[in-house]
Amino acid sequence: MIPYKLIRSRRKTVAIHITKDAAVEVHAPLKMAKGDIDKFVASKEKWIETHLTQREKLNTEKNSFALNYGDMTLLRGKMYYIRSRDSTNAGFDGECFYLPQNLNPETFKRTVVKIYKDTAKLIVRNKVSEYEKHMNVSPVAVKITSAKTRWGSCSGRNSINFSWRLVMADDDVIDYVVVHELAHIREHNHSSRFWAVVEQVFPDYKVRQNKLKLLQKQLAVQDWD
């Protein structure tokens, strides 16, 4: 029997969840017999082993992720070198990311992330300014966050947020996410009316969605925290 953590709640069905640290959680109804839960887990043994292997592989790749001078990193869908300069400044000059010399690994990554955040503020806010006029909507605020699982979000008060990671995507994908969040100002849901608003701007939005999913998979094995 594969070891697992049992979590009971007021649910009606059994579900298996593989955690980020490659552990197995089983969510079951409060009164379901332990023997029946064990039988269910045993029946899913092959599925569990497959997904545990995938999670362990992903964790290994993520833990080995490192950045150093001379490496390349994504910005707006293109790869750029990270160079050292005899300076205390850091930034992106259109040709490369440049950082002060001899930074330790933790400071190095933190500095690269700051460059991304600063760049995202310029790029994303410019795109919001462009598309809000086209869509005749107006967010109350535009913020850049460190969100890991959401590219963007729109609050009930129409404040929109974007993960700094979004600027790694191609421009057409960044445009799609901006329009997606602006569309939520009209429709705070994912109804057919919402997608109609998005489609008015980008009839090919599904193509852009798929490109975003590919980027998500790429970043899943990179540790930017």
Side-chain angles (χ1 to χ4, degrees), residues 158-171:
N158 296 332
S159 172
I160 56 177
N161 306 305
F162 299 93
S163 170
W164 64 261
R165 293 166 172 81
L166 180 60
V167 291
M168 293 184 179
D170 290 337
D171 271 322

Side-chain angles (χ1 to χ4, degrees), residues 126-167:
N126 284 340
K127 289 182 178 294
V128 169
S129 180
E130 174 188 352
Y131 285 106
E132 68 179 0
K133 295 173 185 175
H134 179 73
M135 298 172 68
N136 195 28
V137 294
S138 183
V140 298
V142 179
K143 300 177 182 178
I144 301 301
T145 73
S146 295
K148 302 173 187 177
T149 59
R150 301 183 72 178
W151 296 106
S153 61
C154 178
S155 74
R157 296 183 177 181
N158 296 332
S159 172
I160 56 177
N161 306 305
F162 299 93
S163 170
W164 64 261
R165 293 166 172 81
L166 180 60
V167 291

